[in-house]
Amino acid sequence: MPAADRDAPVDATRRHLLGAAMAGIACVGAANWSVATPRPQRGVEIVGAPSNLGLRPLRPGHVPGAWRTPQVLRTHGLAHRLGAADRGDVPAPAYTPVRDPATGYRNGAGLVAYTPLLAQQIGAVLDGGRLALVLGGDCSVLLGSALALKRRGRYGLLFVDGHTDFYFPPHAQTSTAAGTDLALATGHGPAALVDIEARAPYVREADAVVFGYRDYGAPDVVDTERFLRAAFARYPLERVRSLGTSAAMRDALRTLERPDLDGFWIHVDVDVLDPGIMPAVDSFDPGGMQFAELEDALAIALASSRVVGMELTIYDPDLDADGKLAERLIAILERAFARAGLIDVRKPATG
């Protein structure tokens, strides 16, 4: 989610990007890749988080479509292809674009109510020894994941996103949780959101890795110095590419696999991908990862014995009418999980 609450691109831009995405999918086949030794003792369990509470409407009367993601990915066979159990959805409160006066956030009261409910279901997966796969929804579902983790100890966060989501406008305005989720998860924001059950911060800044971002705001729009002063391990996209995606992720794991942490969680906002190949998102900032780069990063992170779960956010099925982008996302997940040894797949996934 970008820093500014800016207008959506025109339909022509969306059509252009969708066409480019289809061309990219056609060109990117199932490349050769190795499969790690399966870890059958640890299954995957899906939790649906059909929430759009953290998003702004793109126009009057608009309801962001990210809430449909769990249903759409299931329809395309995600659970079967990952061999995953499925706990079903945690229904979210009704969406409203109106500013909540108590928190200053759109859907602030809904977020306060929803976060512990989502945390409860995620926690049940963790307590059962399975790897949790949360299907958002928008990025505000991170609050539920982070609260579930904090209830159980001290955990790290691998934040894979096209934006830092650590934005602080200089003047008071209506905030959106999908654009400030990293800030909220690390204790910056109204107490009603950041200190649920008196557990702030859910994740310490020094325990978080911000990976693959290409935007951290503009000084005339947000306080960029706060991000630069924060204790995060920072891997902007240019650094990831300079090191090489695999090498950068292995370096990032040095923070996340520290012995003082009980494990770590992976947050993936699909706007980390170039909008030319993934236009079914709410932000169209140019640049971004290619499919293969995201797959490589996830395969290495998921192979860690310390990872406890992952969430996928921001994909908007309303912008993917034929479902081809959903198929591509599922193919990336299938290959990454297989390469990490989490599922027993002996041949490349299609898509």
Side-chain angles (χ1 to χ4, degrees):
M1 183 77 179
D5 199 20
R6 50 181 171 253
D7 292 335
V10 296
D11 289 342
T13 301
R14 293 185 188 276
R15 289 194 297 270
H16 172 76
L17 291 171
L18 185 58
M22 295 303 99
I25 289 172
C27 293
V28 180
N32 294 328
W33 46 269
S34 60
V35 179
T37 302
R39 294 183 283 184
Q41 74 280 7
R42 188 184 194 193
V44 178
E45 189 162 0
I46 291 170
V47 177
S51 171
N52 54 9
L53 298 176
L55 293 170
R56 63 180 176 86
L58 298 181
R59 55 190 176 275
H62 173 249
V63 176
W67 69 273
R68 297 179 52 226
T69 298
Q71 171 195 356
V72 169
L73 295 185
R74 288 187 181 104
T75 299
H76 284 268
L78 176 63
H80 173 73
R81 289 169 68 170
L82 297 185
D86 194 337
R87 294 187 69 87
D89 288 345
V90 181
Y95 177 85
T96 173
V98 179
R99 181 180 188 270
D100 171 45
T103 62
Y105 277 72
R106 287 187 178 89
N107 298 290
L111 288 163
V112 172
Y114 187 61
T115 294
L117 298 177
L118 181 57
Q120 181 178 355
Q121 292 303 308
I122 295 170
V125 177
L126 300 178
D127 292 343
R130 291 177 176 267
L131 185 137
L133 176 59
V134 176
L135 304 179
D138 70 71
C139 292
S140 67
V141 303
L142 174 60
L143 296 180
S145 305
L147 179 60
L149 298 172
K150 187 60 180 288
R151 287 173 173 174
R152 287 159 179 80
R154 180 178 175 183
Y155 286 82
L157 173 65
L158 174 58
F159 192 84
V160 182
D161 199 305
H163 310 87
T164 63
D165 291 0
F166 196 79
Y167 299 121
F168 301 91
H171 307 292
Q173 62 183 47
T174 301
S175 298
T176 54
T180 58
D181 49 294
L182 180 60
L184 295 170
T186 53
H188 305 278
L193 290 173
V194 307
D195 198 24
I196 295 171
E197 301 170 1
R199 295 185 187 274
Y202 310 134
V203 178
R204 302 185 194 187
E205 289 180 6
D207 300 341
V209 172
V210 189
F211 192 95
Y213 64 92
R214 59 192 184 274
D215 178 274
Y216 64 96
D220 59 336
V221 178
V222 297
D223 184 357
T224 56
E225 287 299 316
R226 289 187 67 170
F227 174 70
L228 297 176
R229 291 194 305 266
F232 305 125
R234 289 182 287 271
Y235 292 80
L237 184 56
E238 61 266 27
R239 183 183 179 197
V240 170
R241 286 176 168 162
S242 175
L243 294 172
T245 303
S246 298
M249 184 55 72
R250 292 189 183 98
D251 191 66
L253 288 178
R254 295 193 302 169
T255 295
L256 299 167
E257 294 180 333
R258 298 194 325 259
D260 57 326
L261 297 180
D262 295 303
F264 70 91
W265 184 267
I266 304 172
H267 164 91
V268 179
D269 179 339
V270 300
D271 76 10
V272 75
L273 292 164
D274 191 310
I277 61 173
M278 178 50 67
V281 295
D282 71 322
S283 173
F284 293 86
D285 295 301
M289 286 185 173
Q290 298 300 303
F291 289 127
E293 290 175 306
L294 179 58
E295 181 188 320
D296 287 346
L298 290 180
I300 291 170
L302 288 165
S304 173
S305 63
R306 307 294 302 284
V307 67
V308 298
M310 170 182 152
E311 65 200 19
L312 187 74
T313 68
I314 292 298
Y315 163 71
D316 187 341
D318 288 353
L319 305 178
D320 182 25
D322 59 11
K324 290 183 178 179
L325 298 176
E327 285 288 340
R328 188 57 184 153
L329 286 174
I330 292 172
I332 290 172
L333 292 177
E334 184 178 8
R335 286 197 291 268
F337 274 65
R339 289 171 59 182
L342 290 167
I343 57 176
D344 189 5
V345 176
R346 297 301 178 181
K347 61 182 180 179
T350 59

